[in-house]
């Protein structure tokens, strides 16, 4: 089976790259992926499938029903396809044609890879015992996330998968490699929004004001103790501030300051404790300094948990497909993913595929110069298809 799948992946490589480059040239932001949805659905129809469009507003789902007992078992495969509000700076001949929008997280690579895997699986469906569910998810980059939106819109009403798999490109990893981790892999994430209200005035008479910039600064410094003194050293936790706006000027103390940040960790009990501590510290400091603090906590994605059996399965299949020297066990990451919502309901594995072009400068995710080694799409298409086929074989 390995050689057959590799042959199919290689034979379709040029076509799959055409799909990837089209998607890269026509990126769409979260909840706006109508063109992407139609493009993906058209490719699936050309394979003889019957995709359902508009799940979760702009998502797509299609079933590949095997030739043997198609209702007996179902393996789901997921790819995301929204882009980011970033101006591309790669110099590629197929750079984004949408100003200020770019596939800077590799979702074009994910989507074309799953389309390629689908094309392989369609050609092998007569040998398939069970079925494959293809999930093309929108809005991964924007809360509440496409996974929850699609599930709320009935994604699993007719068929509940027995296992689910997804992957993400990893620019720190060279082309040709695959990596995974059992158990807790990616952090939960919550967004934090503060409004610190004081009393503005002249910068030369601060005693007549309540300076919200000073109050907010104390809050920023004090909250760092959550990580340094409240979080267990064994519990990864990150608190970061990304925005601090006090719209005064050199001699004007403003009336209020607005701040935004994130809290990420790997334990639901500690996550809720963090929320309470952040609220008490922020409001307590503001009150003690004569100000007020309004805090909104936008409860985001849970942490990604990789099922032990599914993850060991991905590891073993990767060794079979690539060789043991090309497969890595990975560390935890503080990045977040709404695939976590799928993994809460279905045994899951979220793994990584290397995209770095060897001997070239490193370009990270969410950066305007992200470059993907397109050979990774051929590798990933074949491996995703192989892993799905082997998972169905083991379900007998």
């Amino acid at each position: 089976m390995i050689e057959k799948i590799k042959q199919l992946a290689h034979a379709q490589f040029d076509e799959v790259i055409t799909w990837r480059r089209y998607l890269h040239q026509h990126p769409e932001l979260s909840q706006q992926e109508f063109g992407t949805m139609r493009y993906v659905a058209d490719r699936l129809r050309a394979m003889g499938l019957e995709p359902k469009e508009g799940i979760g507003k702009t998502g797509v789902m299609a079933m590949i029903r095997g030739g043997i007992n198609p209702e007996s078992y179902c393996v789901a495969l997921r790819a995301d396809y929204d882009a980011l509000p970033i101006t591309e700076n790669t110099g590629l001949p197929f750079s984004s044609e949408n100003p200020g929008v770019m596939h800077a997280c590799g979702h074009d690579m994910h989507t074309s890879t799953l389309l390629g895997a689908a094309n392989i699986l369609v050609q092998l469906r007569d040998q398939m015992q069970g079925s494959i569910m293809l999930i093309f998810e929108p809005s991964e980059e924007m809360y509440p996330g496409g996974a929850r939106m699609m599930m709320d819109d009935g994604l699993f009403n007719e068929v509940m998968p027995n296992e689910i798999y997804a992957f993400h490109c990893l620019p720190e990893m060279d082309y040709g490699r695959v990596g995974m981790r059992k158990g807790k892999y990616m952090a939960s994430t919550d967004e934090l929004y503060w409004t610190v209200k004081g009393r503005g005035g002249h910068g030369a008479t601060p005693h007549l004001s309540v300076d919200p910039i000073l109050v907010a600064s104390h809050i920023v410094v004090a909250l760092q103790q959550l990580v340094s003194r409240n979080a267990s050293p064994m519990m990864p936790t990150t608190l970061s501030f990304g925005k601090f706006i006090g719209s005064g000027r050199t001699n004007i103390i403003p009336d209020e300051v607005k701040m935004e940040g994130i809290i990420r960790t790997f334990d639901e009990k500690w996550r809720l404790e963090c929320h309470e501590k952040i609220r008490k510290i922020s409001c307590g400091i503001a009150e003690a300094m004569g100000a007020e603090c309004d805090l909104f906590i936008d409860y985001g994605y849970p942490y990604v948990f990789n099922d032990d059996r599914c993850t060991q399965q991905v590891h073993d299949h990767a060794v079979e497909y690539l060789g043991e020297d090309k497969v890595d066990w990975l560390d935890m990451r503080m990045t977040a993913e709404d695939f976590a919502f799928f993994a809460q309901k279905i045994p899951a594995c979220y793994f990584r595929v290397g995209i770095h072009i060897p001997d070239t400068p490193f370009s990270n995710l969410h950066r305007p110069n992200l470059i993907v080694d397109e050979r990774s799409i051929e590798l990933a298409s074949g491996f995703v298809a192989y892993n799905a086929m082997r998972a169905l074989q083991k379900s007998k």
Side-chain angles (χ1 to χ4, degrees), residues 57-127:
K57 188 177 179 180
T58 49
V60 177
M61 186 275 285
M63 295 293 299
I64 304 175
R65 302 188 185 279
I68 308 168
N69 297 327
E71 310 302 326
S72 62
Y73 204 82
C74 179
V75 171
L77 307 174
R78 172 269 204 178
D80 42 11
Y81 58 39
D82 54 331
L84 289 162
I86 291 175
T87 299
E88 183 163 356
N89 186 29
T90 61
L92 293 169
F94 51 92
S95 291
S96 171
E97 295 181 356
N98 297 340
V101 183
M102 177 192 174
H103 272 299
C105 200
H107 294 189
D108 54 326
M109 182 262 185
H110 304 166
T111 300
S112 56
T113 291
L114 186 53
L115 285 171
N119 201 39
I120 293 169
L121 291 165
V122 164
Q123 296 175 73
L124 299 175
R125 69 194 311 172
D126 289 344
Q127 306 170 38

Side-chain angles (χ1 to χ4, degrees), residues 244-319:
F244 188 117
I245 298 175
S247 297
R249 49 176 284 184
T250 56
N251 63 345
I252 298 176
I253 295 172
D255 285 321
E256 67 178 30
V257 166
K258 290 188 177 293
M259 303 188 296
E260 298 179 9
I262 56 166
I263 182 76
R264 296 187 172 188
T265 189
F266 284 88
D267 180 85
E268 288 301 307
K269 182 175 181 292
W270 167 236
R271 181 185 186 185
L272 295 177
E273 289 178 12
C274 282
H275 293 179
E276 185 61 22
K277 288 180 182 295
I278 290 169
R279 193 177 300 281
K280 285 184 175 180
I281 291 171
S282 299
C283 295
I285 288 174
E287 182 180 359
M289 299 181 73
E292 297 178 16
C293 178
D294 294 331
L295 172 62
F296 172 64
I297 301 177
D298 198 350
Y299 199 80
Y301 306 160
Y303 62 82
V304 174
F305 184 86
N306 279 339
D307 176 79
D308 282 2
R309 182 186 64 82
C310 291
T311 307
Q312 186 65 53
Q313 196 164 255
V314 171
H315 174 273
D316 295 347
H317 298 165
V319 169

Side-chain angles (χ1 to χ4, degrees), residues 139-154:
S139 195
E140 184 276 326
E141 299 284 0
M142 180 183 291
Y143 185 78
R148 174 181 281 183
M149 293 166 64
M150 292 184 81
M151 286 192 291
D152 288 347
D153 202 16

